[in-house]
């Protein structure tokens, strides 16, 4: 609860006013049976039409006041609950923006989206219903009990028995039911996952002719869901009949005891009638209360998921010493000093071990190595996408952790292996690199990334609209735009993580030439597969199983490094056959 | 006394969506009658159950109406004349009636839950089966989110509505008419009050609904835009971070978020007003009834017991009306959902196999393309007049720039798409005359995108051939060079992969894909950029495995790494959907054409 206070702050007064107005609403409603009993017991008994009409007018007047209260309650509760949800959404969004890569890795993006959308929506509903009902229901309960006591204290004993019995019954049913609902949710998730998976893997399913197999798998998950839904629901639907029964039995008891009192003259018929009304009202209030509680239990899952995000410790933040004014990246010399790295601190398996590497400003360094040799991990440490576990990384002689993150990432540009474009025009996507870039700068970057030609072949050229993820472009075109976007930043340090895998070799060579000619002041790290594409770089780093096993130029390595020779041969052998 | 009411607010499988909103922005089904008939097709199977439900509803409603009515004789005939024994006797009857009512209410819900769950279960199964039958084109043109929502939101709407709406509507109608008749019976004059008040209430309600409809539409739109933004930014969050775009994203989001807030506040406000207005209108109805009833008691001798019963009824009258209006709306929403579900079920499946389709057995693997042309949509031809033939056991490679049509060619072979003109044959048989099942079983495909399933590594590889033994799976993994990294994982072959194998590197996923294709032991092998994310050293190792694998199999290879294609028996160079060059590596190199350019460009 307390965690949500900051998001409520702006709407505190509305949050208080709403329930206050509910009091008026409840009062206008709850006095009605009381006034009705006066009509019967005084008006009818004395044959006093005037009195009856007077009381009637009072009843109607009070109802109209109640409408005002009720509408006011809705006004303020809507305002504050929607406002709260909106603040929370903003806060959550902000928090996710602060997440480090490893924070992001622990949540899947789909689950983060659900938290930002469905879960917050659920909370909004719950807050709104609470503000409308949570005050209303207990208030109605209390008022009705007070009025009932005024009519007859002894009859109120029936209420005193009915309330705990009913509360216990509801509590018991819910306690039994809720675990089933949790399980049901899990089964539902499984069904949804199966569908999702089949949608993405449809080609695989089709090519292996596995539809029967998938159908079978699905029908099992689906049946599980059905069984659990039935189980969960059949328990919960007990609530209504049980409540009705308890309420009706109480009424029978009231009529019995009250009827006897009327016979003895201790009670008026009108009072008996209004007492029955109060019993009904009390039990309805209890039902509303239990519904709200039920809603709470459903919301608590959502709340838990939201708090999980809010409470996540962002493990990469600006350190105390970080100060962009003091520490400014100018040249781009990068040094790894005894760097060890693992993704999870509790894991005992180091992904990178004892990395020592020094890159001079403007140097072009290629990193090569087998799948899983931690090439990507290595370069991601430079812009602090992950933090080193041991050792340090220095840029221009200063530990990367001493730069402000903002400055560090401004000075570096990383083209991730899994890169995405966003919906918008090609130009707006490129401008991510530099929001105030001029057209000339954009075109220059696109030319260097060998993207200009295909861009201008589109009718809309740089204004061509891209769908989400750049779906209307080929893989190679997307990659080239991603490179252009990074180049536009004119970074001091550039990192290309296997970013030309879908680009044909001729184009790839042109990109590399452009890098060497037009960006020779940029310290560049290229992760590559093909030796042929990196022969001309300043230095090549060979990674094997998280260790550097060779650094040097192509000519050096080809003479001295066995692994390099092996890689070279595996790629060169074919050439030999060719020539 | 008896609140008839909401069976359960917790609808099984119900999403905690904004149910309060539903009544204001309901999508109307386009063809209500037809959709209802089809839905009935599912429900019909439970006819007996439904009949029982109706029976229980009648019992339950009758019990609650009688219970309220009994107040009249209780007061008039026993309490006022002071007949204690009679009172006791009557109360005993009342108790029995209530007990019967409660039992019926429970059984009614219980039966209905079973019926509705069975129904949606069957619908989901049907939908899933349909999914398996649909051609790839369907998946290309429909977003996954959109398809998912048929399974989740739409089916949920149906289940919720079956659980609640149907029975509620029926109950409300019976209660309303029963109440009305009993009111008339007690006092026709007093009934006039209700007859005036109810239309007034309905009028007010319709006014509120009309006004809030627009606000709800605006809210829905804002929700759509905001959620779209969230999805895009969160999916691309790593890029956001790399570019330090966080602050900009926050400001952009803030604009959308505040816009949503303002619209949602208005929508919620208007829709929320419904409740206090209806409740208090109902209270006014009660007050009027009490007053006029009192006057009638004085002037026309209306009996007090009658007034008591009447007041009970008038208290309850608002509820079924309210219930009816909201349930009719959710029924409408459910029908619209059902319509979308049926719409998907009605999509054209892959055309059925020819009636006497061949079943391929003992495939030799001779594949021929004769004058094949193809386009995804009529306006843009992707492949022009492709002619090629692969001898059994030969390897054919396709090279060319992105978009040249390489992937398209191999998509045609398993009939993922059907060609517009020309002919593709396997062992001389037109693939159109071969059953899809046996056609696809005769080939193993490794796709560019690496897709895995939730399950263990073992299960994922075995996907290629379900009958494969553990040893065969391991052998396949060894061939694909995946064995060593698998055994390095903590649980080895029993390691569970989540969703898309995100705990593996791209290269490792591809190795698993290759192992999966290996285990299939199909006579035709298709490798679409199968080794693009694998480093050349690993690739060389896999090549050894693949070479063993390819022996005696007709193989189609696409690779942009030319070194992996040069030992092919024939290399086809594609450009803009046309074959521009063909021949062995040596032929093409000495021809100094496009291939030579591509090849030398690589080493320049």
């Amino acid at each position: 609860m307390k965690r949500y206070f900051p998001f409520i702050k702006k709407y505190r007064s509305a949050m208080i006013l709403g329930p206050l107005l509910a009091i008026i609403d409840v009062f206008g409603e709850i006095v009605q049976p009381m006034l009705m009993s006066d009509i019967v017991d005084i008006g009818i008994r004395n044959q006093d039409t005037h009195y009856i009409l007077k009381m009637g007018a009072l009843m109607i007047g009070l109802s109209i006041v109640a409408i005002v209260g009720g509408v006011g309650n809705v006004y303020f509760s809507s305002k504050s609950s929607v406002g709260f949800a909106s603040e929370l959404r903003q806060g959550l969004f902000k928090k996710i923006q602060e997440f480090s890569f490893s924070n992001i890795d622990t949540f899947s993006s789909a689950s983060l989206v659900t938290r930002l959308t469905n879960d917050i929506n659920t909370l909004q509903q719950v807050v709104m219903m609470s503000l409308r009902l949570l005050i209303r229901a207990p208030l109605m309960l209390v008022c009705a009990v007070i009025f009932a006591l005024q009519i007859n204290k002894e009859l109120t004993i029936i209420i005193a028995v009915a309330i705990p019995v009913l509360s216990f019954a509801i509590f018991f049913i819910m306690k039994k039911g809720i675990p089933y609902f949790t399980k049901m949710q899990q089964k539902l998730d499984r069904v949804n996952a199966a569908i999702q998976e089949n949608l993405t893997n449809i080609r695989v399913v089709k090519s292996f002719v596995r539809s029967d197999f998938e159908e079978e798998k699905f029908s099992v998950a689906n049946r599980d869901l059905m069984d659990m839904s039935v189980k969960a629901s059949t328990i919960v639907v007990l609530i209504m009949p049980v409540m009705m029964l308890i309420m009706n039995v109480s009424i029978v008891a009231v009529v019995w005891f009250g009827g006897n009192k009327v016979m003895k003259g201790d009670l008026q018929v009108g009072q008996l009638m209004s007492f029955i009304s109060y019993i009904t009202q009390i039990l309805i209030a209890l039902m509303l209360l239990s519904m709200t509680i039920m809603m709470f239990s459903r919301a608590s899952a959502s709340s838990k998921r939201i708090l999980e995000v809010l409470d996540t410790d962002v493990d990469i933040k600006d350190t105390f010493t970080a100060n962009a004014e003091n520490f400014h990246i100018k040249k781009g010399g990068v040094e790894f000093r005894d760097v060890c790295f693992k993704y999870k601190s509790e894991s005992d398996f180091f992904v990178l071990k004892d990395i020592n590497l020094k890159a001079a400003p403007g140097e072009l360094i290629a990193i090569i190595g087998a799948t899983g040799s931690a090439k990507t991990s290595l370069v991601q440490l430079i812009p602090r996408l992950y933090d080193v576990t041991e050792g340090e990384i220095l840029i221009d002689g200063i530990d990367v952790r001493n730069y402000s993150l903002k400055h560090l990432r401004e000075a570096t540009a990383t083209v991730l292996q899994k890169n995405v474009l966003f919906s918008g025009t090609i130009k707006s996507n490129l401008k991510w690199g530099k929001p105030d870039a001029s057209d000339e700068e954009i075109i220059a970057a696109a030319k260097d990334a060998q993207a200009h030609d295909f861009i201008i072949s589109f009718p809309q050229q740089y204004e061509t609209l891209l769908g989400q993820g750049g779906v209307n472009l080929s893989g190679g075109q997307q990659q080239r735009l991603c490179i252009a976007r990074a180049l536009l930043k004119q970074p001091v340090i550039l990192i290309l993580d296997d970013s030309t895998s879908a680009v044909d070799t001729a184009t790839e060579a042109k990109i590399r030439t452009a890098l060497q000619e037009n960006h020779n002041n940029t310290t560049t790290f290229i992760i590559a597969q093909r030796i042929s594409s990196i022969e001309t770089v300043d230095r090549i780093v060979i990674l094997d199983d998280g260790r550097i096993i060779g650094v040097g130029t192509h000519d050096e390595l080809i003479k001295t490094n066995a692994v390099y020779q092996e890689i070279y041969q595996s790629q060169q052998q074919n050439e030999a056959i060719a020539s | 006394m008896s609140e008839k009411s909401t069976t359960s607010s917790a609808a099984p499988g119900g999403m905690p969506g904004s149910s309060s909103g539903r009544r204001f922005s309901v999508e109307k089904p386009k063809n209500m009658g037809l959709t209802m008939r089809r839905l009935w097709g599912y429900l019909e199977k439970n006819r007996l159950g439904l009949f029982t439900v109706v029976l229980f509803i009648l019992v339950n409603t009758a019990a609650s109406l009688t219970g309220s009515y009994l107040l009249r004789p209780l007061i008039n005939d026993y309490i006022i004349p002071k007949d204690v024994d009679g009172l006791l006797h009557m109360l005993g009857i009342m108790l029995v009636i209530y007990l019967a009512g409660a039992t019926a209410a429970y059984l009614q819900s219980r039966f209905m839950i079973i019926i509705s769950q069975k129904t949606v279960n069957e619908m989901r199964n049907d939908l899933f089966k349909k999914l398996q039958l649909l051609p790839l084109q369907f998946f290309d043109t429909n977003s996954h989110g959109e398809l998912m929502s048929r399974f989740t939101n739409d089916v949920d709407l149906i289940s919720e509505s079956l659980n609640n709406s149907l029975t509620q509507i029926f109950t409300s109608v019976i209660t309303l008419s029963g109440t009305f008749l009993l009111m008339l019976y007690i006092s026709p004059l007093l009934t006039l009050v209700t007859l005036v008040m109810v239309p007034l209430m309905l009028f007010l309600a319709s006014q509120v609904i009309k006004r809030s409809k627009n606000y709800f539409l605006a809210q829905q739109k804002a929700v759509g835009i905001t959620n779209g933004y969230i999805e895009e930014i969160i999916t691309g969050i790593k890029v956001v971070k790399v570019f330090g775009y966080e602050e900009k994203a926050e400001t952009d989001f803030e604009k959308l978020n505040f816009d949503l807030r303002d619209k949602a506040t208005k929508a919620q406000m208007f829709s929320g007003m419904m409740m206090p207005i209806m409740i208090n209108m109902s209270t006014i109805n009660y007050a009027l009834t009490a007053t006029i009833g009192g006057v009638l008691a004085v002037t026309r001798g209306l009996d007090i017991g009658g007034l008591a019963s009447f007041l009970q009824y008038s208290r309850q009258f608002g509820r079924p009306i309210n219930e009816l209006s909201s349930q009719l709306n959710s029924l409408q929403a459910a029908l619209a959902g059902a319509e979308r579900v049926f719409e998907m079920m009605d999509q054209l499946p892959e055309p059925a196999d020819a009636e006497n389709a061949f079943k391929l057995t003992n495939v030799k693997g001779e594949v021929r393309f004769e004058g094949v042309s193809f386009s995804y949509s009529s306006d843009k031809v992707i492949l022009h007049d492709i002619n090629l033939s692969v001898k059994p056991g030969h390897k054919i490679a396709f090279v060319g720039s992105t978009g040249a049509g390489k992937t398209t060619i191999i998509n045609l072979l398993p009939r993922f798409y059907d060609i517009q003109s020309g002919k593709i044959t396997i062992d001389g048989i037109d693939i159109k005359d071969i059953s899809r099942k046996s056609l696809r079983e005769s080939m193993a495909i490794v796709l560019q995108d690496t897709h895995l399933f939730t399950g263990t590594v073992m299960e994922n590889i075995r996907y290629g051939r379900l009958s494969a033994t553990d040893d065969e799976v391991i052998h396949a993994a060894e061939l694909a060079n995946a064995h060593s990294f698998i055994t390095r994982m903590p649980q080895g072959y029993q390691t569970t992969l989540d969703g898309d194998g995100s705990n593996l590197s791209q290269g490792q996923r591809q190795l698993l894909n290759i192992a999966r294709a290996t285990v299939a032991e199909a006579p035709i092998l298709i490798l679409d950029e199968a080794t693009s994310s694998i480093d050349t050293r690993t690739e060389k190792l896999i090549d050894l495995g693949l070479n063993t694998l390819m022996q005696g199999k007709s193989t189609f290879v696409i690779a942009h790494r030319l070194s992996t294609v040069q030992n092919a028996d024939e290399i086809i160079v594609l450009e803009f959907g046309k074959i521009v060059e063909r021949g062995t590596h040596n032929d093409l190199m000495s021809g100094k054409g496009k291939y030579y350019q591509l090849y030398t460009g690589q080493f320049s």
Side-chain angles (χ1 to χ4, degrees), chain B residues 46-265:
Chain B
N46 303 296
R47 221 180 295 168
L48 194 67
L50 281 174
F51 180 72
T52 325
V53 168
V54 169
L55 216 62
F56 283 133
I57 290 178
L58 286 176
V59 171
N60 180 23
T61 315
S64 78
L65 286 174
T66 317
S68 295
Y69 183 77
L70 282 180
L71 215 50
R72 184 185 202 189
L74 275 173
I75 291 174
N76 287 348
D77 303 344
Y78 305 103
I79 295 180
I80 294 175
K82 305 191 177 177
D83 176 354
V84 179
D85 293 338
L87 181 64
L88 191 63
H89 180 73
M90 201 63 192
L91 285 176
I93 295 176
M94 210 165 159
L95 213 54
V96 173
I97 289 174
Y98 282 141
L99 205 62
T103 315
Y106 175 67
L107 290 175
Q108 164 227 310
S109 313
R110 212 195 142 110
F111 273 94
M112 202 58 214
I113 282 167
I114 295 172
I115 293 171
S116 69
Q117 285 304 315
K118 261 194 194 160
T119 306
V120 294
N121 177 279
E122 201 182 332
M123 287 181 95
R124 265 196 222 106
N125 270 341
D126 285 357
L127 213 48
F128 192 84
K129 272 188 198 144
K130 184 68 193 196
L131 205 63
Q132 301 294 335
L133 294 177
L134 290 171
L136 277 182
Q137 214 129 22
F138 179 80
F139 298 95
D140 295 343
T141 47
N142 289 283
S143 85
H144 290 179
E146 161 69 22
L147 297 178
M148 272 305 282
S149 117
R150 313 265 161 125
F151 274 95
T152 53
N153 299 347
D154 290 337
V155 171
D156 277 339
L157 280 180
I158 297 169
S159 110
E160 211 173 310
S161 169
L162 286 178
N163 268 333
N164 293 324
S165 309
L166 278 189
T167 52
Q168 282 307 311
I169 289 169
F170 190 61
T171 306
S172 298
V173 168
I174 305 236
T175 308
L176 274 181
S177 28
T179 308
F180 184 65
L181 286 176
L182 284 166
M183 279 176 156
L184 269 181
Y185 176 69
I186 296 170
S187 167
L189 259 181
L190 207 46
T191 313
L192 276 178
V193 175
T194 311
L195 278 182
V196 171
M197 284 304 287
V198 168
L200 191 64
M201 281 161 80
L202 290 179
F203 171 74
L204 269 176
S206 72
Q207 286 301 308
V208 175
I209 290 177
K210 213 161 77 189
R211 243 145 267 225
S212 35
K213 219 172 209 161
N214 292 332
Y215 289 126
F216 256 94
L217 286 178
Q219 177 192 261
Q220 277 333 96
K221 223 171 158 187
V223 165
I225 294 171
T226 313
N227 286 1
Y229 189 79
I230 288 176
E231 220 230 280
E232 181 157 20
I233 290 294
I234 299 296
T235 319
I237 183 82
K238 291 198 171 182
V239 176
V240 170
K241 299 210 67 80
V242 163
F243 280 89
Y245 204 73
E246 298 98 326
E247 276 165 39
K248 177 89 169 58
E250 267 166 46
T251 2
D252 285 355
F253 180 66
E254 192 165 49
K255 264 185 235 137
L256 300 175
N257 191 21
F258 283 172
D259 180 54
L260 168 63
R261 182 194 59 194
D262 295 343
K263 287 180 173 143
T265 308

Side-chain angles (χ1 to χ4, degrees), chain A residues 169 234 260 272 314 436 483-484 567:
Chain A
T234 39
N260 274 310
L272 180 63
V314 176
D436 56 352
I483 293 173
I567 298 173

